[in-house]
Amino acid sequence: MEDPRLSRMYVALAKQRFNEWCIRVWQATVVRSGVVTMAVLALLLVGLAFVWREHKRGRFALLKAEMKRPVPPRVPPPPQPGGQDAIVLERSQIEGGTQPEFLSATLLPGRGMNVLQIKAFVPQKGEVQLLASPAMDEAAKRMSGKGADANGWASLAMGGAIEAPWAGRIFGTPTDGGLSVMWNGQTLHLPAERSNGAAVARGGLLLRRASTTVKTTAMPDGGEADAVYDTGSFDGDWPSGMQLATTVQLSSRALEMRVVAHNTGREPQPVGIGWRPRFAVLNGDRGGLMLRLPSATRTEIRDRHTGLPSGRLLPVAGTEYDFSGRTGAALGGLSLDDTFVHLRQALLDSGPVAELRDPTDNYGLRITMLSSSIKAVHVEAPAGADFITIAPRLNYDDPFGREWPKDEDTGMAVLQPGQSAQWRIRLEIFSLTSSGGDRL
């Protein structure tokens, strides 16, 4: 048999002869004939002709002037509240313009998940902003984290701030730069302000916190945003470590919110949670708005200047504070800064319900409290103001105060290490003339 090495040798010789033949053909047909030189000259002539034509048209003069023009400085993006990008949950209008519906929600994960704005479509008015809030750039200026906003209190004056690890106001003994209050035999030192001589800590400690993680999820009819806050002990102001997980979900007729507080430390701790939305008065007729509350009891206020409660609970039946009827009652000229407690749930509802109705523009907003641990609704509606706050909370104002009877549950949950507490509500928009508008 023939040696395979001879076969490989013959193949190599054949390849070498073929390559030599290709080189000879290239030199004979292209290089020696001057084809390459002619091609290069042709390209050069075409290029010169193009340059001359552009020169006659004045294009090069324009290009030269453009090159001499100074380059404008790069404009930095506008600052975002809390240094984190806002989240906008959006959806398209699908109801054909006959029913009110939500369109978007703007959330601030850098400021404790403040719901800065909720945009909706209302048939009588078109697209409207449901919350009393400034534009984003102005909100960022006010939410500076400095001066009067060092503790995040600017968040309480716009949008809808989430309040934790307590909601509302705590009163205590004045200290240098704050107040002290007793809980479970332990002294808590909280940042506070002075109001008519009283030391008041308000709004919790989450207001100016930036999120640890953020996640958004697109949905067929809206979207969902989750932000987690690993707050620890709030720089030593709270007894133990805490993690707060917030969720906001938007659809056409509902906005659902959930906040879960988890004790990540080694000591027990109290927790209260609330949401403070400032609903805008859209038609300018504050007195004609109808308010409905799921309570026949309110806490008495000892001092209207500070909001300090007396510890007494008062029935509202037959008084100007009675908003417990089927459709509620008109605000009129009444100025409110009151907490309504002992909430009641109607037979077919998923929880106690509060409503704000606008008869002029034929729409209403309904808050259903889905967590049984929500013990109070605080209403702030100053006479003549352009907003109304309806704030569902776990706790009363001044929950640690000695003014309360010993058997009164003021709403602060006590979490042992590893335990959690949940706050959850649903905000709905509806037409007053539809069948769902009068649901109880």
Side-chain angles (χ1 to χ4, degrees):
M1 296 178 66
E2 185 180 356
D3 190 341
R5 291 177 293 179
L6 291 175
S7 299
R8 289 195 293 269
M9 182 179 68
Y10 292 147
V11 171
L13 287 172
K15 289 182 177 179
Q16 181 180 354
R17 295 290 176 84
F18 180 76
N19 290 336
E20 291 173 352
W21 179 80
C22 289
I23 292 173
R24 287 197 300 271
V25 171
W26 169 260
Q27 290 175 343
T29 60
V30 178
V31 177
R32 293 176 184 174
S33 65
V35 173
V36 174
T37 303
M38 292 177 62
V40 171
L41 289 174
L43 290 174
L44 180 60
L45 289 174
V46 171
L48 290 173
F50 174 76
V51 170
W52 178 253
R53 187 183 67 175
E54 295 300 304
H55 172 70
K56 295 293 286 183
R57 292 181 176 181
R59 297 282 178 85
F60 284 102
L62 293 175
L63 178 60
K64 186 176 181 181
E66 186 68 25
M67 292 176 67
K68 289 183 177 180
R69 182 179 300 173
V71 178
R74 182 176 179 272
V75 179
Q80 296 288 305
Q84 292 184 333
D85 290 341
I87 298 171
V88 181
L89 302 177
E90 295 182 286
R91 55 172 302 279
S92 299
Q93 184 180 335
I94 60 173
E95 298 285 352
T98 61
Q99 295 292 325
E101 55 184 303
F102 293 126
L103 299 178
S104 69
T106 301
L107 318 172
L108 303 180
R111 294 286 296 199
M113 211 56 162
N114 184 311
V115 183
L116 183 66
Q117 191 52 262
I118 302 173
K119 183 186 292 187
F121 172 79
V122 176
Q124 308 256 120
K125 299 186 75 69
E127 291 189 7
V128 298
Q129 309 284 358
L130 292 179
L131 300 181
S133 296
M136 181 65 73
D137 56 348
E138 180 62 25
K141 291 179 183 178
R142 298 185 194 179
M143 294 175 170
S144 64
K146 302 175 183 178
D149 186 49
N151 296 302
W153 290 331
S155 293
L156 298 174
M158 63 186 80
I162 292 177
E163 300 177 303
W166 78 87
R169 292 169 282 211
I170 290 179
F171 298 85
T173 303
T175 61
D176 185 15
L179 62 78
S180 63
V181 65
M182 296 296 296
W183 174 78
N184 199 28
Q186 184 176 352
T187 301
L188 307 182
H189 298 278
L190 306 176
E193 62 179 354
R194 294 294 182 90
S195 176
N196 292 288
V200 185
R202 57 194 182 102
L205 302 170
L206 184 68
L207 300 174
R208 66 180 182 90
R209 293 272 170 169
S211 65
T212 308
T213 61
V214 177
K215 182 180 72 173
T216 59
T217 305
M219 304 178 73
D221 185 31
E224 181 178 281
D226 300 272
V228 175
Y229 297 82
D230 290 315
T231 63
S233 62
F234 291 97
D235 301 321
D237 290 335
W238 213 242
S240 188
M242 183 178 292
Q243 181 188 79
L244 290 157
T246 65
T247 301
V248 179
Q249 185 181 104
L250 177 75
S251 63
S252 62
R253 306 296 293 275
L255 184 144
E256 291 203 17
M257 298 180 62
R258 182 176 70 249
V259 182
V260 178
H262 182 69
N263 186 346
T264 59
R266 299 181 178 180
E267 303 294 333
Q269 62 178 320
V271 64
I273 303 170
W275 182 46
R276 184 186 175 88
R278 292 163 59 93
F279 297 114
V281 178
L282 299 182
N283 61 23
D285 182 17
R286 172 200 175 277
L289 296 180
M290 304 289 290
L291 176 66
R292 174 183 167 222
L293 298 173
S295 170
T297 307
R298 70 180 180 95
T299 62
E300 183 184 50
I301 303 300
R302 177 185 299 169
D303 184 349
R304 281 287 172 184
H305 295 292
T306 63
L308 178 66
S310 69
R312 294 180 59 204
L313 302 182
L314 304 177
V316 300
T319 73
E320 58 185 349
Y321 296 95
D322 189 357
F323 299 97
S324 60
R326 186 171 183 271
T327 58
L331 282 170
L334 180 64
S335 184
L336 288 169
D337 189 7
D338 293 86
T339 302
F340 295 80
V341 298
H342 295 181
L343 306 182
R344 300 179 298 182
Q345 176 180 340
L347 181 61
L348 299 179
D349 286 334
S350 302
V353 170
E355 290 183 348
L356 183 64
R357 298 181 174 219
D358 184 343
T360 301
D361 293 323
N362 189 37
Y363 84 98
L365 296 171
R366 175 184 297 121
I367 298 177
T368 302
M369 286 146 259
L370 301 174
S371 297
S372 60
S373 52
I374 295 176
K375 303 294 185 183
V377 175
H378 185 83
V379 179
E380 183 181 357
D386 63 352
F387 73 92
I388 297 170
T389 294
I390 304 174
R393 301 171 173 174
L394 297 189
N395 61 277
Y396 299 10
D397 267 339
D398 200 29
F400 303 136
R402 297 179 179 178
E403 67 270 20
W404 301 108
K406 291 184 178 180
D407 59 349
E408 184 66 26
D409 180 5
T410 57
M412 294 292 285
V414 178
L415 299 183
Q416 299 297 325
Q419 288 186 334
S420 299
Q422 177 177 263
W423 172 99
R424 183 177 170 222
I425 63 102
R426 180 192 301 120
L427 173 67
E428 298 171 276
I429 189 168
F430 60 93
S431 170
L432 299 187
T433 55
S434 69
S435 59
D438 292 325
R439 179 183 60 80
L440 289 176

